Amino acid sequence: MSDAEDRKIITLARSARARSGVPQGAAVRDETGRTYVATAVELPSLRLSALRTAVAMAASSGATSLEAAALVTDADTTEVAAEDLAAVRDLGGAGTPVLLAGPEGDLRATIAAS
């Protein structure tokens, strides 16, 4: 993955977060280069993080693999929830990079979904 591709997927996740005014935004890129962008789903009967929502959108659209994922969060952390990494791994396979960034798009960590 190139630096330009990294910046693009982070920018898309950042835009989703800002547009919705929520703490997290996420984006995933599938094997064909299509990108799926999401924020968290918080309904009485359904709760999904932003990253799990983006993975679900990709899977429901027919993606069979992921090249990368990005999570933009206002939380001061360098970790991604185990459930989020599991969802990325389920569709992307072990080692799929998850780019974790802050609200300004600053890359904090790249974590392999293992």
Side-chain angles (χ1 to χ4, degrees), residues 7-84:
R7 283 191 303 274
K8 179 180 177 185
I9 199 169
I10 289 170
T11 298
L12 291 169
R14 185 175 172 231
S15 296
R17 180 192 164 279
R19 182 175 50 254
S20 298
V22 294
Q24 292 187 347
V28 297
R29 186 175 55 250
D30 73 10
E31 73 281 0
T32 66
R34 289 179 296 188
T35 304
Y36 305 86
V37 180
T39 60
V41 173
E42 303 231 356
L43 301 172
S45 64
L46 178 64
R47 293 190 176 282
L48 292 172
S49 70
L51 193 50
R52 282 180 275 164
T53 302
V55 170
M57 290 172 64
S60 70
S61 295
T64 58
S65 182
L66 297 178
E67 292 180 351
L71 176 64
V72 174
T73 180
D74 63 2
D76 187 20
T77 185
T78 57
E79 296 182 11
V80 175
E83 297 88 354
D84 288 347

Side-chain angles (χ1 to χ4, degrees), residues 96-112:
T96 301
V98 178
L99 309 168
L100 177 64
E104 301 303 317
D106 51 309
L107 183 63
R108 294 179 181 164
T110 301
I111 302 161

